[in-house]
């Protein structure tokens, strides 16, 4: 009998994933990854995952399913691979996506390593995505979930062929209503539990306050300037601003202005108008391909530069260790540090980090 390690956050999705895996006849074991202590990062329990209450919920579901349950302590790994990367990105003027780093370095690296140590066959998560093996290509494919509104393939683009061969996504063909119905029918304690929002360790969305509290640093004020270098006012620390931001600038301006770029060397935030935010091309590094081994010539794809964006038609080609992507139409507020993910229909071609 194949053995599966179920990553359980205490939420309804991973709980139903555990139920479905057991129903499929696999030997299932539930596990919650302890990633941080809420007190250590200065937050309350609400809208976070992996809190003590979430652990209790996951344990209750495993008891109801009569499967073993464990808690793995990955706090040091999470600090190094997710929180530290998150802070460094903001300090370097980027806009990170820590959920991608968590999937890459924690769920599908550290947890998969633990799976192998325990002589198990699969890691299972509650992600809404699908995995199929393509005999013709001799490759595992990562595909969008059938429920477009819940699809999470964007944050999974870094999965390798080896990882895909040991991963199961039981929810890929279900929608959220179906998942909640299964949870209710089985009496799960978390059947009506709200989905966690935002970043788990910054649930109130106040990234700058989190970074200052966590690091003990204060980030110096500097100038807001326009594209010609004219001073428009004072900013409150460069980490507080992201590309495309309009609200919260604290300026009285004759017309709406937006963050265009961050000049780290001179501690300046450059503002401009909405039209200035649009560009047709980008470069990406730290590339991972899934449906293909390599790009040797320009290919047509659809691409998205943020999680909630609809894919846009583009041409992509290799440029040394980078990808060069040119969109058919200009895209708004492309952010350094975010992921660009490439699609061929519902198949993930691959992706990389925007430079």
């Amino acid at each position: 009998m194949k053995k599966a390690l179920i990553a359980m956050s205490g939420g309804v999705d991973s709980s139903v994933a555990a139920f479905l895996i057991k129903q499929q006849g696999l030997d299932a074991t539930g596990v919650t990854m302890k990633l941080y202590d809420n007190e250590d990062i200065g937050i309350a329990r609400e809208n976070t995952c992996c809190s003590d209450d979430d652990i209790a919920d996951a344990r209750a579901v495993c008891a109801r399913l009569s499967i073993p349950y464990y808690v793995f302590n990955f706090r040091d790994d999470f600090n190094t691979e997710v929180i530290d990367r998150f802070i460094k990105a903001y300090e370097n003027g980027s806009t990170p996506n820590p959920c991608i780093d968590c999937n890459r370095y924690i769920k599908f690296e550290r947890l998969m390593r633990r799976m192998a140590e325990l002589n198990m066959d699969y890691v299972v998560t509650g992600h809404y995505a699908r995995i199929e093996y393509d005999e013709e290509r001799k490759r595992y494919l990562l595909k969008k979930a059938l429920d477009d509104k819940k699809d999470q393939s964007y944050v999974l683009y870094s999965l390798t062929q080896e990882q895909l061969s040991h991963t199961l996504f039981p929810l890929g063909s279900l929608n959220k209503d179906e998942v909640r119905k299964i949870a209710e029918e089985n009496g799960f304690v978390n059947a009506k539990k709200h989905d966690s929002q935002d970043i788990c360790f910054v649930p109130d969305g106040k990234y700058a306050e989190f970074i200052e509290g966590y690091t003990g640093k204060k980030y110096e004020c500097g100038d807001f300037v326009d594209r010609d270098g004219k001073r428009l006012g004072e900013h409150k620390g460069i980490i507080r601003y992201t590309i495309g931001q309009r609200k919260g600038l604290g300026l009285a301006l004759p017309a709406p202005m937006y963050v265009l770029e961050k000049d780290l060397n001179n501690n300046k935030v450059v503002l401009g108008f909405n039209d200035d935010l649009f560009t047709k091309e980008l470069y990406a590094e730290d590339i991972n391909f899934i449906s293909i081994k390599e790009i040797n010539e320009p290919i047509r794809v659809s691409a998205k530069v943020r999680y909630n964006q609809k894919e846009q038609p583009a041409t992509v080609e290799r440029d040394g260790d980078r990808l060069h992507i040119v969109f058919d139409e200009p895209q708004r507020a492309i952010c350094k540090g975010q992921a660009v993910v490439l699609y061929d229909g519902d198949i993930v071609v691959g992706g990389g980090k925007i430079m």
Side-chain angles (χ1 to χ4, degrees):
M1 183 185 290
K2 296 285 188 180
K3 297 180 179 180
L5 200 60
I6 323 294
M8 301 186 70
S9 66
V12 65
D13 292 332
S14 54
S15 298
V16 171
F19 167 79
L20 294 172
I21 286 299
K22 187 181 180 188
Q23 203 176 45
Q24 290 170 20
L26 279 74
D27 183 356
T29 297
V31 57
T32 296
M33 295 172 288
K34 185 69 172 173
L35 303 179
Y36 53 79
D37 286 323
N38 286 9
E39 307 76 43
D40 291 346
I41 56 176
I43 59 175
R45 176 247 179 265
E46 280 186 40
N47 294 327
T48 74
C49 65
C50 315
S51 68
D52 290 342
D53 287 353
D54 294 316
I55 289 171
D57 289 347
R59 181 177 281 114
V61 169
C62 287
R64 194 158 188 87
L65 294 174
S66 299
I67 64 174
Y69 174 74
Y70 301 98
V71 177
F72 292 162
N73 185 351
F74 286 163
R75 280 178 288 196
D76 289 345
D77 294 321
F78 190 76
N79 284 340
T80 301
E81 302 292 4
V82 181
I83 294 181
D84 287 353
R85 288 175 187 275
F86 174 83
I87 292 169
K88 187 179 291 185
Y90 267 107
E91 289 179 335
N92 290 332
S94 296
T95 303
N97 190 323
C99 296
I100 290 175
D101 286 339
C102 186
N103 285 325
R104 180 175 183 174
Y105 297 109
I106 306 299
K107 291 187 180 77
F108 298 105
E109 187 173 298
R110 300 302 197 276
L111 189 58
M112 200 156 274
R113 193 184 301 164
R114 191 68 60 90
M115 172 206 79
E117 291 168 355
L118 295 170
N119 293 315
M120 292 184 163
D121 303 285
Y122 298 106
V123 163
V124 179
T125 74
H127 284 104
Y128 287 83
R130 294 176 293 153
I131 298 170
E132 294 177 7
Y133 185 72
D134 187 313
E135 284 288 352
E136 190 174 325
R137 306 187 207 203
K138 303 296 182 189
R139 295 183 73 80
Y140 286 90
L141 303 181
L142 175 65
K143 304 179 78 172
K144 291 182 190 177
L146 292 186
D147 182 354
D148 251 0
K149 294 176 183 174
K150 294 298 294 181
D151 174 56
Q152 293 173 294
S153 59
Y154 174 85
V155 296
L156 299 165
Y157 80 87
S158 64
L159 283 166
T160 66
Q161 287 293 301
E162 174 68 16
Q163 289 167 340
L164 286 164
S165 73
H166 291 283
T167 300
L168 299 174
F169 296 138
L171 307 188
S173 59
L174 302 176
N175 62 43
K176 189 71 180 200
D177 289 341
E178 291 171 320
V179 168
R180 288 207 183 275
K181 185 178 179 185
I182 291 170
E184 288 176 7
E185 288 173 349
N186 286 276
F188 291 170
V189 65
N190 53 13
K192 296 182 179 179
K193 189 174 184 177
H194 293 300
D195 292 342
S196 57
Q197 301 294 324
D198 297 314
I199 296 167
C200 64
F201 56 91
V202 196
D204 59 6
K206 297 178 180 177
Y207 309 133
E209 284 85 341
F210 166 77
I211 292 170
E212 289 181 338
Y214 190 84
T215 63
K217 296 181 184 176
K218 288 294 179 185
Y219 295 86
E220 290 183 13
C221 297
D223 290 339
F224 283 118
V225 297
D226 66 15
R227 298 181 78 183
D228 296 323
K230 178 185 174 185
R231 187 178 186 276
L232 300 171
E234 184 178 79
H235 70 66
K236 297 179 180 177
I238 212 159
I239 63 166
R240 297 181 182 277
Y241 307 97
T242 57
I243 306 303
Q245 180 178 338
R246 178 176 68 86
K247 295 182 178 179
L249 301 181
L251 297 176
L253 299 166
M257 297 188 79
Y258 303 79
V259 175
L260 298 185
E261 60 180 283
K262 295 185 276 187
D263 179 353
L264 296 176
N265 291 332
N266 298 300
N267 193 26
K268 293 179 179 178
V269 175
V270 181
L271 304 183
F273 301 105
N274 189 57
D275 288 350
D276 298 327
L277 287 167
F278 287 83
T279 182
K280 288 185 71 169
E281 61 183 316
L282 64 83
Y283 287 89
E285 60 185 352
D286 198 12
I287 304 157
N288 182 59
F289 292 118
I290 296 179
S291 67
I292 58 177
K293 287 184 179 179
E294 190 52 89
I295 289 179
N296 296 313
E297 58 187 25
I299 62 170
R300 292 289 291 169
V301 295
S302 55
K304 57 194 293 187
V305 296
R306 59 181 59 85
Y307 180 76
N308 289 320
Q309 182 191 30
K310 182 172 174 56
E311 306 95 66
Q312 303 295 318
T315 300
V316 58
E317 61 182 338
R318 195 75 187 243
D319 179 18
D321 292 333
R322 310 180 300 176
L323 292 180
H324 180 211
I325 299 163
V326 180
F327 290 92
D328 292 5
E329 299 293 333
Q331 304 299 304
R332 186 180 185 278
I334 295 175
C335 291
K336 174 186 170 186
Q338 289 282 293
V340 57
V341 180
L342 315 177
Y343 291 86
D344 177 9
D346 64 352
I347 297 170
V348 176
V349 176
K353 186 178 292 185
I354 298 170
M355 300 174 67

